[in-house]
mmCIF file of all heavy atoms in Angstrom:
data_model
loop_
_atom_site.group_PDB
_atom_site.id
_atom_site.type_symbol
_atom_site.label_atom_id
_atom_site.label_comp_id
_atom_site.label_asym_id
_atom_site.label_seq_id
_atom_site.Cartn_x
_atom_site.Cartn_y
_atom_site.Cartn_z
ATOM 1 N N LYS A 1 63.103 139.101 147.891
ATOM 2 C CA LYS A 1 62.803 139.363 149.335
ATOM 3 C C LYS A 1 62.573 140.840 149.622
ATOM 4 O O LYS A 1 62.180 141.107 150.789
ATOM 5 C CB LYS A 1 64.026 138.823 150.182
ATOM 6 C CG LYS A 1 64.221 137.308 150.202
ATOM 7 C CD LYS A 1 65.233 136.896 151.221
ATOM 8 C CE LYS A 1 66.618 137.029 150.657
ATOM 9 N NZ LYS A 1 67.687 136.471 151.606
ATOM 10 N N HIS A 2 62.774 141.650 148.627
ATOM 11 C CA HIS A 2 62.657 143.101 148.853
ATOM 12 C C HIS A 2 61.771 143.680 147.731
ATOM 13 O O HIS A 2 62.263 144.151 146.681
ATOM 14 C CB HIS A 2 64.038 143.775 148.850
ATOM 15 C CG HIS A 2 64.964 143.196 149.842
ATOM 16 N ND1 HIS A 2 64.971 143.647 151.132
ATOM 17 C CD2 HIS A 2 65.911 142.219 149.796
ATOM 18 C CE1 HIS A 2 65.945 143.033 151.880
ATOM 19 N NE2 HIS A 2 66.522 142.108 151.003
ATOM 20 N N PRO A 3 60.459 143.629 147.917
ATOM 21 C CA PRO A 3 59.486 144.021 146.781
ATOM 22 C C PRO A 3 59.722 145.440 146.336
ATOM 23 O O PRO A 3 59.260 145.769 145.200
ATOM 24 C CB PRO A 3 58.107 143.878 147.491
ATOM 25 C CG PRO A 3 58.336 142.868 148.558
ATOM 26 C CD PRO A 3 59.701 143.150 149.092
ATOM 27 N N ARG A 4 60.281 146.310 147.121
ATOM 28 C CA ARG A 4 60.470 147.775 146.653
ATOM 29 C C ARG A 4 61.625 147.903 145.676
ATOM 30 O O ARG A 4 61.620 148.884 144.973
ATOM 31 C CB ARG A 4 60.719 148.577 147.994
ATOM 32 C CG ARG A 4 60.806 150.081 147.671
ATOM 33 C CD ARG A 4 60.902 150.935 148.936
ATOM 34 N NE ARG A 4 60.990 152.347 148.682
ATOM 35 C CZ ARG A 4 62.069 153.078 148.522
ATOM 36 N NH1 ARG A 4 63.248 152.522 148.675
ATOM 37 N NH2 ARG A 4 62.065 154.359 148.265
ATOM 38 N N ILE A 5 62.498 146.950 145.606
ATOM 39 C CA ILE A 5 63.666 147.135 144.775
ATOM 40 C C ILE A 5 63.361 146.639 143.353
ATOM 41 O O ILE A 5 62.834 145.646 143.068
ATOM 42 C CB ILE A 5 64.903 146.239 145.311
ATOM 43 C CG1 ILE A 5 65.177 146.726 146.718
ATOM 44 C CG2 ILE A 5 66.058 146.359 144.380
ATOM 45 C CD1 ILE A 5 66.350 145.936 147.365
ATOM 46 N N ILE A 6 63.734 147.590 142.419
ATOM 47 C CA ILE A 6 63.653 147.324 140.978
ATOM 48 C C ILE A 6 64.989 147.096 140.386
ATOM 49 O O ILE A 6 65.915 147.852 140.655
ATOM 50 C CB ILE A 6 62.898 148.503 140.342
ATOM 51 C CG1 ILE A 6 61.530 148.812 140.862
ATOM 52 C CG2 ILE A 6 62.830 148.247 138.761
ATOM 53 C CD1 ILE A 6 60.524 147.724 140.715
ATOM 54 N N VAL A 7 65.141 146.058 139.582
ATOM 55 C CA VAL A 7 66.384 145.793 138.847
ATOM 56 C C VAL A 7 66.310 146.531 137.457
ATOM 57 O O VAL A 7 65.362 146.263 136.774
ATOM 58 C CB VAL A 7 66.645 144.325 138.609
ATOM 59 C CG1 VAL A 7 67.932 144.131 137.837
ATOM 60 C CG2 VAL A 7 66.787 143.588 139.989
ATOM 61 N N ILE A 8 67.238 147.438 137.219
ATOM 62 C CA ILE A 8 67.399 147.976 135.906
ATOM 63 C C ILE A 8 68.421 147.103 135.161
ATOM 64 O O ILE A 8 69.641 147.192 135.503
ATOM 65 C CB ILE A 8 67.814 149.432 135.998
ATOM 66 C CG1 ILE A 8 66.749 150.279 136.720
ATOM 67 C CG2 ILE A 8 67.994 150.024 134.538
ATOM 68 C CD1 ILE A 8 67.162 151.699 136.963
ATOM 69 N N SER A 9 67.999 146.265 134.281
ATOM 70 C CA SER A 9 68.849 145.264 133.643
ATOM 71 C C SER A 9 69.267 145.708 132.300
ATOM 72 O O SER A 9 68.487 145.576 131.329
ATOM 73 C CB SER A 9 68.089 143.894 133.559
ATOM 74 O OG SER A 9 68.874 142.894 133.016
ATOM 75 N N ASP A 10 70.498 146.184 132.141
ATOM 76 C CA ASP A 10 71.012 146.686 130.912
ATOM 77 C C ASP A 10 71.543 145.559 130.098
ATOM 78 O O ASP A 10 72.588 144.974 130.415
ATOM 79 C CB ASP A 10 72.126 147.754 131.241
ATOM 80 C CG ASP A 10 72.628 148.439 130.031
ATOM 81 O OD1 ASP A 10 72.371 147.982 128.923
ATOM 82 O OD2 ASP A 10 73.341 149.500 130.173
ATOM 83 N N GLU A 11 70.838 145.218 129.055
ATOM 84 C CA GLU A 11 71.191 144.021 128.276
ATOM 85 C C GLU A 11 71.535 144.446 126.823
ATOM 86 O O GLU A 11 71.387 143.661 125.869
ATOM 87 C CB GLU A 11 69.998 143.027 128.249
ATOM 88 C CG GLU A 11 69.634 142.685 129.637
ATOM 89 C CD GLU A 11 68.498 141.640 129.809
ATOM 90 O OE1 GLU A 11 68.192 140.973 128.787
ATOM 91 O OE2 GLU A 11 67.948 141.512 130.917
ATOM 92 N N ILE A 12 72.091 145.670 126.666
ATOM 93 C CA ILE A 12 72.391 146.206 125.297
ATOM 94 C C ILE A 12 73.404 145.335 124.539
ATOM 95 O O ILE A 12 73.419 145.321 123.327
ATOM 96 C CB ILE A 12 72.831 147.619 125.400
ATOM 97 C CG1 ILE A 12 72.891 148.347 124.012
ATOM 98 C CG2 ILE A 12 74.178 147.798 126.116
ATOM 99 C CD1 ILE A 12 71.565 148.500 123.357
ATOM 100 N N TYR A 13 74.277 144.575 125.248
ATOM 101 C CA TYR A 13 75.246 143.734 124.600
ATOM 102 C C TYR A 13 74.806 142.281 124.470
ATOM 103 O O TYR A 13 75.619 141.363 124.310
ATOM 104 C CB TYR A 13 76.570 143.820 125.421
ATOM 105 C CG TYR A 13 77.245 145.123 125.355
ATOM 106 C CD1 TYR A 13 77.060 146.119 126.375
ATOM 107 C CD2 TYR A 13 78.058 145.513 124.257
ATOM 108 C CE1 TYR A 13 77.582 147.382 126.290
ATOM 109 C CE2 TYR A 13 78.631 146.776 124.184
ATOM 110 C CZ TYR A 13 78.367 147.681 125.200
ATOM 111 O OH TYR A 13 78.972 148.942 125.159
ATOM 112 N N GLU A 14 73.541 142.068 124.599
ATOM 113 C CA GLU A 14 72.979 140.725 124.557
ATOM 114 C C GLU A 14 73.516 139.823 123.511
ATOM 115 O O GLU A 14 73.893 138.617 123.764
ATOM 116 C CB GLU A 14 71.457 140.761 124.342
ATOM 117 C CG GLU A 14 70.806 139.492 124.164
ATOM 118 C CD GLU A 14 69.251 139.572 123.873
ATOM 119 O OE1 GLU A 14 68.701 140.711 123.845
ATOM 120 O OE2 GLU A 14 68.653 138.507 123.687
ATOM 121 N N HIS A 15 73.572 140.280 122.306
ATOM 122 C CA HIS A 15 73.968 139.474 121.174
ATOM 123 C C HIS A 15 75.512 139.369 120.972
ATOM 124 O O HIS A 15 75.915 138.588 120.087
ATOM 125 C CB HIS A 15 73.286 139.971 119.871
ATOM 126 C CG HIS A 15 71.813 139.765 119.858
ATOM 127 N ND1 HIS A 15 70.971 140.716 120.130
ATOM 128 C CD2 HIS A 15 71.126 138.635 119.680
ATOM 129 C CE1 HIS A 15 69.754 140.214 120.060
ATOM 130 N NE2 HIS A 15 69.797 138.950 119.767
ATOM 131 N N ILE A 16 76.272 140.116 121.738
ATOM 132 C CA ILE A 16 77.757 139.961 121.596
ATOM 133 C C ILE A 16 78.178 139.145 122.751
ATOM 134 O O ILE A 16 78.648 139.603 123.775
ATOM 135 C CB ILE A 16 78.406 141.377 121.577
ATOM 136 C CG1 ILE A 16 77.813 142.228 120.433
ATOM 137 C CG2 ILE A 16 79.932 141.275 121.273
ATOM 138 C CD1 ILE A 16 78.257 143.634 120.423
ATOM 139 N N ASN A 17 78.037 137.811 122.587
ATOM 140 C CA ASN A 17 78.165 136.862 123.634
ATOM 141 C C ASN A 17 78.952 135.704 123.138
ATOM 142 O O ASN A 17 78.664 135.065 122.073
ATOM 143 C CB ASN A 17 76.713 136.445 124.011
ATOM 144 C CG ASN A 17 76.661 135.380 125.144
ATOM 145 O OD1 ASN A 17 77.447 134.466 125.192
ATOM 146 N ND2 ASN A 17 75.625 135.527 126.015
ATOM 147 N N TYR A 18 80.014 135.241 123.896
ATOM 148 C CA TYR A 18 80.931 134.216 123.435
ATOM 149 C C TYR A 18 80.730 132.899 124.234
ATOM 150 O O TYR A 18 81.544 131.981 123.973
ATOM 151 C CB TYR A 18 82.383 134.674 123.528
ATOM 152 C CG TYR A 18 82.584 136.093 123.026
ATOM 153 C CD1 TYR A 18 83.124 137.110 123.845
ATOM 154 C CD2 TYR A 18 82.148 136.486 121.755
ATOM 155 C CE1 TYR A 18 83.309 138.370 123.367
ATOM 156 C CE2 TYR A 18 82.361 137.730 121.270
ATOM 157 C CZ TYR A 18 82.940 138.731 122.148
ATOM 158 O OH TYR A 18 83.085 140.010 121.681
ATOM 159 N N VAL A 19 79.751 132.798 125.014
ATOM 160 C CA VAL A 19 79.592 131.638 125.899
ATOM 161 C C VAL A 19 78.205 130.956 125.698
ATOM 162 O O VAL A 19 77.815 130.093 126.499
ATOM 163 C CB VAL A 19 79.796 131.961 127.407
ATOM 164 C CG1 VAL A 19 81.251 132.323 127.622
ATOM 165 C CG2 VAL A 19 78.873 133.037 127.887
ATOM 166 N N GLY A 20 77.470 131.332 124.693
ATOM 167 C CA GLY A 20 76.251 130.679 124.391
ATOM 168 C C GLY A 20 75.016 131.576 124.600
ATOM 169 O O GLY A 20 75.049 132.795 124.320
ATOM 170 N N LYS A 21 73.949 131.064 125.091
ATOM 171 C CA LYS A 21 72.647 131.774 125.153
ATOM 172 C C LYS A 21 72.724 132.898 126.169
ATOM 173 O O LYS A 21 73.256 132.731 127.279
ATOM 174 C CB LYS A 21 71.593 130.732 125.529
ATOM 175 C CG LYS A 21 70.161 131.309 125.806
ATOM 176 C CD LYS A 21 69.210 130.149 126.070
ATOM 177 C CE LYS A 21 67.903 130.691 126.547
ATOM 178 N NZ LYS A 21 67.919 131.206 127.925
ATOM 179 N N HIS A 22 72.085 134.057 125.820
ATOM 180 C CA HIS A 22 71.958 135.139 126.734
ATOM 181 C C HIS A 22 70.973 134.775 127.896
ATOM 182 O O HIS A 22 69.891 134.243 127.635
ATOM 183 C CB HIS A 22 71.402 136.356 126.000
ATOM 184 C CG HIS A 22 71.085 137.551 126.923
ATOM 185 N ND1 HIS A 22 72.107 138.275 127.513
ATOM 186 C CD2 HIS A 22 69.867 138.105 127.288
ATOM 187 C CE1 HIS A 22 71.493 139.229 128.260
ATOM 188 N NE2 HIS A 22 70.174 139.121 128.112
ATOM 189 N N GLU A 23 71.358 135.076 129.130
ATOM 190 C CA GLU A 23 70.498 134.873 130.279
ATOM 191 C C GLU A 23 70.022 136.224 130.784
ATOM 192 O O GLU A 23 70.789 137.157 130.961
ATOM 193 C CB GLU A 23 71.240 134.133 131.334
ATOM 194 C CG GLU A 23 71.836 132.782 130.938
ATOM 195 C CD GLU A 23 70.798 131.674 130.674
ATOM 196 O OE1 GLU A 23 69.608 131.896 131.045
ATOM 197 O OE2 GLU A 23 71.183 130.623 130.219
ATOM 198 N N THR A 24 68.751 136.345 131.054
ATOM 199 C CA THR A 24 68.159 137.542 131.679
ATOM 200 C C THR A 24 67.589 137.229 133.043
ATOM 201 O O THR A 24 67.036 136.121 133.247
ATOM 202 C CB THR A 24 67.082 138.155 130.753
ATOM 203 O OG1 THR A 24 66.558 139.299 131.440
ATOM 204 C CG2 THR A 24 65.995 137.204 130.378
ATOM 205 N N ILE A 25 67.710 138.183 133.923
ATOM 206 C CA ILE A 25 67.186 137.967 135.262
ATOM 207 C C ILE A 25 65.679 137.894 135.255
ATOM 208 O O ILE A 25 65.033 137.374 136.211
ATOM 209 C CB ILE A 25 67.726 139.117 136.205
ATOM 210 C CG1 ILE A 25 67.603 138.638 137.706
ATOM 211 C CG2 ILE A 25 66.972 140.417 135.962
ATOM 212 C CD1 ILE A 25 68.385 139.501 138.663
ATOM 213 N N CYS A 26 65.055 138.343 134.230
ATOM 214 C CA CYS A 26 63.600 138.327 134.085
ATOM 215 C C CYS A 26 63.006 136.902 133.957
ATOM 216 O O CYS A 26 61.876 136.714 134.077
ATOM 217 C CB CYS A 26 63.122 139.111 132.875
ATOM 218 S SG CYS A 26 62.682 140.776 133.310
ATOM 219 N N GLN A 27 63.837 135.893 133.688
ATOM 220 C CA GLN A 27 63.340 134.567 133.437
ATOM 221 C C GLN A 27 62.853 133.871 134.678
ATOM 222 O O GLN A 27 62.110 132.925 134.595
ATOM 223 C CB GLN A 27 64.444 133.697 132.784
ATOM 224 C CG GLN A 27 65.612 133.436 133.720
ATOM 225 C CD GLN A 27 66.776 132.742 133.068
ATOM 226 O OE1 GLN A 27 66.706 131.489 132.789
ATOM 227 N NE2 GLN A 27 67.814 133.487 132.699
ATOM 228 N N PHE A 28 63.193 134.416 135.868
ATOM 229 C CA PHE A 28 62.812 133.776 137.135
ATOM 230 C C PHE A 28 61.489 134.246 137.610
ATOM 231 O O PHE A 28 61.155 135.441 137.476
ATOM 232 C CB PHE A 28 63.935 133.997 138.210
ATOM 233 C CG PHE A 28 65.256 133.516 137.726
ATOM 234 C CD1 PHE A 28 66.254 134.477 137.378
ATOM 235 C CD2 PHE A 28 65.550 132.215 137.623
ATOM 236 C CE1 PHE A 28 67.434 134.042 136.945
ATOM 237 C CE2 PHE A 28 66.811 131.781 137.153
ATOM 238 C CZ PHE A 28 67.729 132.720 136.856
ATOM 239 N N PRO A 29 60.634 133.337 138.069
ATOM 240 C CA PRO A 29 59.259 133.743 138.515
ATOM 241 C C PRO A 29 59.262 134.916 139.466
ATOM 242 O O PRO A 29 60.100 134.939 140.439
ATOM 243 C CB PRO A 29 58.751 132.444 139.208
ATOM 244 C CG PRO A 29 59.538 131.266 138.572
ATOM 245 C CD PRO A 29 60.863 131.870 138.311
ATOM 246 N N GLY A 30 58.468 135.900 139.187
ATOM 247 C CA GLY A 30 58.298 137.030 140.032
ATOM 248 C C GLY A 30 59.261 138.235 139.650
ATOM 249 O O GLY A 30 58.992 139.386 140.013
ATOM 250 N N MET A 31 60.241 137.940 138.827
ATOM 251 C CA MET A 31 61.217 139.007 138.516
ATOM 252 C C MET A 31 60.752 140.003 137.443
ATOM 253 O O MET A 31 61.180 141.151 137.484
ATOM 254 C CB MET A 31 62.590 138.443 138.099
ATOM 255 C CG MET A 31 63.452 137.990 139.251
ATOM 256 S SD MET A 31 63.733 139.193 140.537
ATOM 257 C CE MET A 31 64.494 140.504 139.648
ATOM 258 N N LYS A 32 59.867 139.542 136.610
ATOM 259 C CA LYS A 32 59.339 140.539 135.625
ATOM 260 C C LYS A 32 58.642 141.764 136.263
ATOM 261 O O LYS A 32 58.787 142.877 135.778
ATOM 262 C CB LYS A 32 58.287 139.847 134.713
ATOM 263 C CG LYS A 32 58.849 139.415 133.364
ATOM 264 C CD LYS A 32 57.842 138.740 132.486
ATOM 265 C CE LYS A 32 56.710 139.745 132.114
ATOM 266 N NZ LYS A 32 55.661 139.135 131.294
ATOM 267 N N GLU A 33 58.035 141.481 137.471
ATOM 268 C CA GLU A 33 57.346 142.580 138.128
ATOM 269 C C GLU A 33 58.335 143.517 138.798
ATOM 270 O O GLU A 33 57.953 144.597 139.275
ATOM 271 C CB GLU A 33 56.373 141.983 139.226
ATOM 272 C CG GLU A 33 55.166 141.354 138.599
ATOM 273 C CD GLU A 33 55.491 140.016 137.813
ATOM 274 O OE1 GLU A 33 56.280 139.199 138.338
ATOM 275 O OE2 GLU A 33 54.882 139.819 136.737
ATOM 276 N N GLN A 34 59.599 143.106 138.894
ATOM 277 C CA GLN A 34 60.609 143.932 139.603
ATOM 278 C C GLN A 34 61.803 144.261 138.713
ATOM 279 O O GLN A 34 62.885 144.557 139.187
ATOM 280 C CB GLN A 34 61.102 143.209 140.867
ATOM 281 C CG GLN A 34 60.085 143.283 142.033
ATOM 282 C CD GLN A 34 60.613 142.583 143.325
ATOM 283 O OE1 GLN A 34 60.104 141.534 143.678
ATOM 284 N NE2 GLN A 34 61.644 143.183 143.887
ATOM 285 N N THR A 35 61.556 144.199 137.372
ATOM 286 C CA THR A 35 62.680 144.421 136.469
ATOM 287 C C THR A 35 62.309 145.391 135.355
ATOM 288 O O THR A 35 61.227 145.350 134.812
ATOM 289 C CB THR A 35 63.185 143.088 135.850
ATOM 290 O OG1 THR A 35 63.537 142.237 136.921
ATOM 291 C CG2 THR A 35 64.401 143.311 134.976
ATOM 292 N N VAL A 36 63.243 146.309 135.067
ATOM 293 C CA VAL A 36 63.188 147.033 133.786
ATOM 294 C C VAL A 36 64.255 146.533 132.893
ATOM 295 O O VAL A 36 65.483 146.684 133.199
ATOM 296 C CB VAL A 36 63.378 148.570 134.055
ATOM 297 C CG1 VAL A 36 63.382 149.320 132.702
ATOM 298 C CG2 VAL A 36 62.286 149.160 134.975
ATOM 299 N N ILE A 37 63.915 145.842 131.814
ATOM 300 C CA ILE A 37 64.875 145.432 130.797
ATOM 301 C C ILE A 37 65.216 146.689 129.885
ATOM 302 O O ILE A 37 64.323 147.324 129.454
ATOM 303 C CB ILE A 37 64.386 144.301 129.913
ATOM 304 C CG1 ILE A 37 64.316 142.984 130.756
ATOM 305 C CG2 ILE A 37 65.315 144.088 128.654
ATOM 306 C CD1 ILE A 37 63.797 141.814 129.943
ATOM 307 N N VAL A 38 66.525 146.926 129.684
ATOM 308 C CA VAL A 38 66.941 147.956 128.784
ATOM 309 C C VAL A 38 67.674 147.276 127.651
ATOM 310 O O VAL A 38 68.624 146.463 127.895
ATOM 311 C CB VAL A 38 67.874 148.950 129.508
ATOM 312 C CG1 VAL A 38 68.411 149.986 128.487
ATOM 313 C CG2 VAL A 38 67.111 149.663 130.607
ATOM 314 N N ASN A 39 67.356 147.582 126.387
ATOM 315 C CA ASN A 39 68.028 147.043 125.274
ATOM 316 C C ASN A 39 67.917 147.975 124.084
ATOM 317 O O ASN A 39 67.377 149.073 124.206
ATOM 318 C CB ASN A 39 67.471 145.619 124.915
ATOM 319 C CG ASN A 39 68.482 144.710 124.315
ATOM 320 O OD1 ASN A 39 69.327 145.137 123.555
ATOM 321 N ND2 ASN A 39 68.397 143.380 124.650
ATOM 322 N N GLY A 40 68.312 147.639 122.924
ATOM 323 C CA GLY A 40 68.311 148.450 121.774
ATOM 324 C C GLY A 40 69.033 147.906 120.602
ATOM 325 O O GLY A 40 69.577 146.804 120.670
ATOM 326 N N VAL A 41 69.211 148.693 119.582
ATOM 327 C CA VAL A 41 69.798 148.238 118.319
ATOM 328 C C VAL A 41 71.264 148.618 118.161
ATOM 329 O O VAL A 41 71.888 148.184 117.249
ATOM 330 C CB VAL A 41 68.957 148.752 117.100
ATOM 331 C CG1 VAL A 41 67.593 148.063 117.108
ATOM 332 C CG2 VAL A 41 68.890 150.251 117.037
ATOM 333 N N SER A 42 71.787 149.522 119.021
ATOM 334 C CA SER A 42 73.088 150.104 118.790
ATOM 335 C C SER A 42 74.247 149.108 118.576
ATOM 336 O O SER A 42 74.933 149.233 117.548
ATOM 337 C CB SER A 42 73.408 151.062 119.913
ATOM 338 O OG SER A 42 72.604 152.133 119.955
ATOM 339 N N LYS A 43 74.351 148.168 119.455
ATOM 340 C CA LYS A 43 75.532 147.306 119.472
ATOM 341 C C LYS A 43 75.341 146.076 118.516
ATOM 342 O O LYS A 43 76.221 145.810 117.688
ATOM 343 C CB LYS A 43 75.917 146.853 120.887
ATOM 344 C CG LYS A 43 75.839 147.937 121.967
ATOM 345 C CD LYS A 43 76.872 149.016 121.711
ATOM 346 C CE LYS A 43 76.854 150.030 122.859
ATOM 347 N NZ LYS A 43 77.810 151.076 122.765
ATOM 348 N N ALA A 44 74.239 145.441 118.596
ATOM 349 C CA ALA A 44 74.004 144.204 117.866
ATOM 350 C C ALA A 44 73.959 144.447 116.369
ATOM 351 O O ALA A 44 74.431 143.665 115.524
ATOM 352 C CB ALA A 44 72.790 143.479 118.307
#
């Protein structure tokens, strides 16, 4: 509802998950245009 807002989605702990599949906010229609996914190799 707020096109100016960008989500900075820090997903560095993606693979250290005890409840199943990782969920990202980017999966929802329109959110890729308003999201910066942050990830990397450090933790996993």
Side-chain angles (χ1 to χ4, degrees):
K1 289 189 277 185
H2 303 274
R4 183 173 183 265
I5 299 177
I6 302 295
V7 177
I8 300 171
S9 182
D10 187 345
E11 303 181 18
I12 191 68
Y13 293 95
E14 171 184 1
H15 289 101
I16 306 174
N17 180 321
Y18 314 125
V19 292
K21 176 176 170 285
H22 173 71
E23 303 288 352
T24 176
I25 200 165
C26 264
Q27 68 188 282
F28 304 108
M31 279 308 299
K32 260 181 65 183
E33 289 69 42
Q34 284 181 250
T35 304
V36 176
I37 290 179
V38 174
N39 210 325
V41 295
S42 291
K43 313 298 183 179

